[in-house]
Each structure stands twice: as structure tokens, then as C-alpha cells.
Amino acid sequence: MQNIFGLTVEELTVLLRPWKVPAYRARQIAEWMYQRQADSFSVMTNLPAVLREQLAEKLLIQRASMLDRWDSADRRTTKFLLAFADGVAVETVLMRHSYGNSICVSTQAGCAMGCVFCASTVHGVVRNLTVGEMLAQTIFINDFLKSGQERVDTMVLMGSGEPLMNYENVLGFIRLVHEPYCLNLGYRNITLSTSGIVPQMYALAKENLPITLSVSLHAPNDEIRSQLMPVNKKYPIAAVVAAGRDYAEQTKRRVTYEYILIDGVNDSEEAARELSQLLRHQLASVNLIPINPVAERHLQRPSAEHVERFAAMLERCHITATVRREMGTDIQAACGQLRNQHLKP
Ligand code: SAH
């Protein structure tokens, strides 16, 4: 049996050729799966009954199933633990902002990058997610929102995993979710976050998609960054920032640099000055994130005043900086934290 959830209309058309199915039927099937919550052919009532039976003998529609769900006290953040056909599970987060519903999607089960502050990588990487599995997370939440006449408005690829280490599937997913027969999500409403896989950053710039690139920088120099992020030994900070600059020049879109603030590690005035030097004269902004302490790690968050001082310092050096509004800290919404709880015996 072959799963068809995650295929484009073009791919479905090719697959359905042996059944002599006209092309417009492939589109109907896609709309049933992606817009009308179908999980079997039997509900696709505008298809001939005989065809429905024939397809059901050979093809499957595999979605995600919910293993668990947590709501933050203010109800604005909901985190889902979603499982796929082989039992592998990932986290997907829904954040209800004033400007709409944003979701945070996982691109790999676990993560291989080994960043010391991050919960997703504690148990290493299990495997890449397929196009269908990334789409299944998105459609699961979109269907969940539909009951309240709402939808997914914006999406960040910032869940577990390194999206640029799963490049082909992630690009296939971004293109599919944009299709009118799927969620019709605008490219400008999609953000991809990377730990700085330099060759793929250049490749992404060439794709000519107006998505936002977010780069996890977290340090102002190689010395500190290599301590926090092993990937910096392969792709040093200057190469990462050069690739970010290229992305901004090619796409004319502002690159966001994420910077987790960790008490006594990367939050000094000197670090703020060095960071502004690094990002000077670029179409870039800095998103400061007071660290969510992770049970498996021993890193602490600086005081709120200290965070404000760091932000003010950047602004004084003409770098646009925002402090990320925290959502869902009480439900451990930092990526990977809930999955780890589930993996614990
Ligand atoms: N691998 C990609 C995408 C997943 S991580 C990347 O590195 O960008 C995305 C973001 O999760 C990080 O940049 C950081 O903003 C956030 N993150 C991870 N661990 C965190 C923690 N303990 N506290 C706060 N944010 C964290």
C-alpha cells in the first residue's frame, strides 16, 4: 500500500495513470485530502464509486495522530505531540497572536546539531520527516482551527530538526503548502530557521522564494559560538553571516538573526558591541530570546533588566532588535522539551 498524503497534483496525476484517471480527478483527490479532511477514498463522493473502491485497494491516506496536547495557562499556546505511521512522534506548536494563528513545524524527528541549549538534540536525530509528515502537522492544526472558523495564517519552520539538513523535503513541503488546492499559504508568511548550513543557505537564496530566513546565531564570535553550537566548527560565524547577507541581497528580504540570551555566556556589553559590528550595514534584525532553561542543561536566563540593556545597546549601535515575547513557557514550548518528557520512562 502506498501513502498519497503529501503528493502534489502533478505527482498524483502520474501515480493514477494506471487507473486511467483524468487529471482533474487528481485535483479533486488533493482537495479532499488537504482541504476537506478526507482520510479515506470512501468519503470522496464526487468520484465514481468503482474508482473509489479500486484506489482504496492500493493507496492509503496517512495523516498524523495526536498522542498528547498541552495548553498554556493563558490558552494562547497549544502544543501537540503528533505521531506518524511508524510511531515516530514530533511536536507542533500553535500560537495565537493578535495578527493571526502561527504554527511552529518540526522538520526532523530529533536533531543532529548538538546545540548545548536545545532540548531537541538531547537524543540525537531519528530521521528526516517526509513532505507528507510536515504537511500532516500543518493540516492537523488547520483542521483543529477550522471548527472555530479560523485557519493557519503564518508558519515558522522552527520546531525540532535542522530544515536545511532535510533540504529537498522541506522545499517540497513549502511549495505544496502554498498551492491553492492545499492551504494557499503565502510564501511571505513562511519563515525558515537554520543553525547556519552555509551551502544550503546559498542554494535557498537561488530558489527565488520570498520566504523569510532566520539564522540562529546565538553568539558574536567563533569562540563563544563554537561552545554553544558544534556546527560552527564546520561553518564559522563569518561564513554564516556572509551567506545571510547574500540571502538578503538576492531576495531583498530582511534576515532575522536569533540570539538566545544566556546568563554569563553571551550577554555582556562587549558581546552586544561585537554583534553590532558583525551585522553592520546589512538588511538584518536581531531577535533576542531569553533562554528557556532546559531540564537536561544548566544554562540560566539573564534578568529582564539585563535583557533590556542588551537590546538597548544594539539599538544604540543602529541594529534593529526585538525581544521575543514569551509564549508557552509554562508548557515547555521550547522545541523538544515535551517530546523528551514522553521519551522518559
Ligand atoms: N535547527 C534550526 C531550527 C530549530 S531551532 C535552527 O537552529 O534555527 C529554532 C530555535 O529554537 C532557535 O534558534 C532558538 O530560537 C529556539 N530554541 C532552542 N532551544 C531553546 C531554548 N532552550 N530556549 C529558547 N529558545 C530555544
Side-chain angles (χ1 to χ4, degrees):
M1 295 286 265
Q2 182 179 351
N3 173 39
I4 60 166
F5 193 90
L7 297 187
T8 62
V9 162
E10 292 72 29
E11 289 165 338
L12 270 174
T13 306
V14 172
L15 183 76
L16 295 175
R17 244 172 229 154
W19 285 277
K20 307 238 176 336
V21 179
Y24 76 93
R25 292 269 184 233
R27 192 177 171 105
Q28 287 176 325
I29 293 172
E31 286 170 355
W32 274 109
M33 288 195 291
Y34 304 144
Q35 299 181 341
R36 305 176 71 179
Q37 308 183 20
D39 55 8
S40 72
F41 291 99
S42 58
V43 299
M44 302 183 185
T45 44
N46 52 0
L47 262 58
V50 180
L51 177 63
R52 278 187 268 156
E53 278 168 34
Q54 287 172 342
L55 296 180
E57 282 169 21
K58 291 270 165 35
L59 306 175
L60 277 176
I61 299 170
Q62 284 175 339
R63 297 168 168 273
S65 52
M66 186 172 81
L67 292 186
D68 219 333
R69 168 183 167 181
W70 298 264
D71 290 284
S72 64
D74 64 10
R75 314 302 281 182
R76 281 166 55 224
T77 307
T78 306
K79 184 152 187 163
F80 301 90
L81 187 68
L82 301 178
F84 306 118
D86 64 353
V88 162
V90 299
E91 294 166 25
T92 314
V93 185
L94 163 64
M95 290 156 287
R96 301 169 181 84
H97 298 286
S98 51
Y99 55 83
N101 295 307
S102 175
I103 65 165
C104 179
V105 171
S106 291
T107 57
Q108 298 181 307
C111 184
M113 304 315 292
C115 301
V116 303
F117 47 79
C118 182
S120 296
T121 199
V122 171
H123 303 283
V125 68
V126 179
R127 62 172 178 81
N128 280 339
L129 299 189
T130 62
V131 173
E133 289 167 338
M134 289 181 264
L135 185 64
Q137 297 171 59
T138 313
I139 299 232
F140 181 92
I141 297 194
N142 201 61
D143 289 348
F144 171 83
L145 289 167
K146 260 186 193 165
S147 53
Q149 316 298 320
E150 290 185 67
R151 56 163 288 164
V152 170
D153 301 300
T154 61
M155 172 169 91
V156 296
L157 302 183
M158 258 188 215
S160 69
E162 170 47 58
L164 296 186
M165 296 292 266
N166 186 13
Y167 190 89
E168 291 302 323
N169 289 348
V170 164
L171 266 284
F173 164 58
I174 290 172
R175 291 203 161 93
L176 178 54
V177 84
H178 173 75
E179 288 288 348
Y181 60 78
C182 196
L183 288 192
N184 204 5
L185 197 62
Y187 288 128
R188 286 185 165 71
N189 297 337
I190 300 175
T191 298
L192 183 151
S193 178
T194 181
S195 57
I197 315 295
V198 167
Q200 282 88 330
M201 288 170 72
Y202 284 104
L204 188 66
K206 291 206 183 69
E207 302 279 351
N208 222 353
L209 295 176
I211 62 171
T212 300
L213 180 66
S214 191
V215 179
S216 293
L217 204 61
H218 307 323
N221 58 42
D222 281 325
E223 194 192 334
I224 302 178
R225 194 163 192 265
S226 292
Q227 281 168 24
L228 297 173
M229 306 175 71
V231 66
N232 192 67
K233 291 174 192 135
K234 185 154 187 198
Y235 302 116
I237 198 162
V240 172
V241 172
R245 180 190 295 264
D246 175 74
Y247 190 88
E249 281 167 7
Q250 302 264 341
T251 62
K252 310 278 180 278
R253 296 189 61 75
R254 179 185 297 273
V255 171
T256 324
Y257 287 92
E258 288 158 278
Y259 195 102
I260 297 180
L261 283 167
I262 310 170
D263 190 37
V265 175
N266 63 358
D267 61 341
S268 66
E269 280 197 16
E270 179 55 29
R273 257 192 301 271
E274 223 179 327
L275 181 61
S276 4
Q277 286 294 321
L278 192 67
L279 300 181
R280 247 182 0 168
H281 309 309
Q282 281 205 46
L283 186 57
S285 65
V286 173
N287 192 5
L288 296 170
I289 311 153
I291 188 170
N292 265 320
V294 172
E296 291 84 352
R297 313 294 197 195
H298 302 285
L299 302 168
Q300 296 305 320
R301 166 184 296 197
S303 69
E305 301 80 64
H306 199 92
V307 170
E308 285 310 321
R309 224 178 310 138
F310 195 93
M313 189 82 186
L314 291 180
E315 292 284 357
R316 226 174 301 134
C317 299
H318 311 292
I319 301 289
T320 311
T322 52
V323 178
R324 186 183 288 181
R325 274 187 310 135
E326 288 175 59
M327 290 182 81
T329 317
D330 58 325
I331 56 163
Q332 305 208 5
C335 55
Q337 292 180 301
L338 286 174
R339 179 166 168 273
N340 290 353
Q341 269 180 9
H342 249 255
L343 293 175
K344 275 183 198 151

